[in-house]
Amino acid sequence: IEFSPAVVLQLLRRLSSGGKKQKGVLEALASQLNEDGTVLVGRVMMRLDELRAAALHLFRLGSAFLEGREARRYRRTDEVMEVSQGRVFVPSESLLPNETFIDAVKQFTETCGFTAGDIHKLAVYLSAAEEGELGLHADQAAGLEGAVTLINELALSAQFVTAGTDPGHIFWMEPSKWAGHAVCAWYAAPLDISSRLCESLFKKKASAILCSATLRVADSFDHFMSRSGLGFVKDRVLSLAVQSPFDYSRKCRVLALPFLPEPGGNPKD
């Protein structure tokens, strides 16, 4: 699940060019509809400006929170864990640090609701328009209804990833840019993908071959089968463990270097 400037901007550009030379859907409608239709289009464009501002405000607040945490360089996994490429994993209780942030999320989701409502009104108006007045009314109305669905999903995604309270997901934030502003992006990924993998792969394909030297735990495939989704179709699973031809006892040597620091310790110690 992604809630980022890229997702918001993609949605906005789908509807409006934002003043660029190439017309968007709304700019094209504004030049083709009568006065009542033009008023509806203008209202939707105003809502999109409000949505853009609310999203930017929320992303900038998140960026300020992210930069503050990085500056303090927390290392404890129960607070903040920094990883490569600027990703910062944050626990649920830290994702909503203050009332200002909570209000910003609420403002964004409410703006999404108002925007979706006005776009739906425009879609209904287009559907009811006289046939022949504009040949693409049906297609444009369907496109606008699709945008309504995307905006509602965007609001749900924003609430979900910024709250970060679902124990079945891991949540993280990444720094980003929007029109020169330092902003952030939120992400969430499920910890257990077994059911999704089973439905999207194993139940749809006649066969699949999975091979690796690390599929077994304690000489059993049970753990891998439960985590990968194969456990849901175990009656179709054939397993085989083949011993390695490599002579580990004669051709391997284990070296333990005493001068290296303990894992997770201070490299300077």
Side-chain angles (χ1 to χ4, degrees), residues 4-206:
S4 67
V7 171
V8 175
L9 288 173
Q10 183 179 21
L11 176 59
L12 293 174
R13 289 167 184 160
R14 172 175 175 166
L15 295 167
S16 173
S17 65
K20 297 180 180 179
K21 291 182 179 180
Q22 185 177 0
K23 289 185 178 181
V25 174
L26 294 175
E27 285 83 3
L29 283 173
S31 62
Q32 296 166 344
L33 296 178
N34 59 25
E35 183 177 352
D36 291 338
T38 303
V39 169
L40 289 173
V41 170
R43 185 179 301 166
V44 170
M45 295 180 73
M46 180 188 69
R47 290 297 190 191
L48 291 179
D49 288 339
E50 294 173 354
L51 182 62
R52 183 183 288 106
L56 179 58
H57 177 58
L58 179 54
F59 288 133
R60 293 186 71 179
L61 284 177
S63 176
F65 167 66
L66 184 62
E67 292 172 358
R69 287 288 184 168
E70 285 185 316
R72 292 160 66 180
R73 300 187 67 78
Y74 278 107
R75 293 291 179 180
R76 290 172 50 191
T77 56
D78 61 338
E79 293 186 1
V80 173
M81 180 176 67
E82 297 184 30
V83 294
S84 62
Q85 299 180 345
R87 292 185 177 90
V88 176
F89 289 78
V90 189
S92 58
E93 65 272 12
S94 298
L95 285 174
L96 296 175
N98 53 51
E99 290 296 327
T100 301
F101 192 88
I102 295 173
D103 289 343
V105 175
K106 182 179 179 181
Q107 179 186 1
F108 176 77
T109 55
E110 288 179 348
T111 304
C112 284
F114 295 141
T115 305
D118 283 339
I119 293 176
H120 174 68
K121 291 177 183 178
L122 177 58
V124 171
Y125 174 83
L126 290 177
S127 299
E130 291 283 338
E131 188 65 37
E133 182 181 335
L134 185 61
L136 296 179
H137 277 338
D139 290 340
Q140 290 173 316
L144 291 174
E145 290 291 7
V148 169
T149 300
L150 292 176
I151 291 173
N152 289 330
E153 290 176 351
L154 182 65
L156 292 174
S157 296
Q159 290 177 314
F160 183 79
V161 297
T162 56
T165 54
D166 189 323
H169 286 73
I170 186 169
F171 302 86
W172 73 95
M173 305 164 68
E174 295 182 14
S176 184
K177 291 288 185 182
W178 184 347
H181 297 289
V183 294
C184 78
W186 279 273
Y187 299 89
L191 294 173
D192 184 1
I193 62 169
S194 58
S195 60
R196 302 183 188 188
L197 192 57
C198 180
E199 293 295 330
S200 62
L201 177 60
F202 300 131
K203 286 187 177 181
K204 292 185 177 181
K205 299 298 181 180

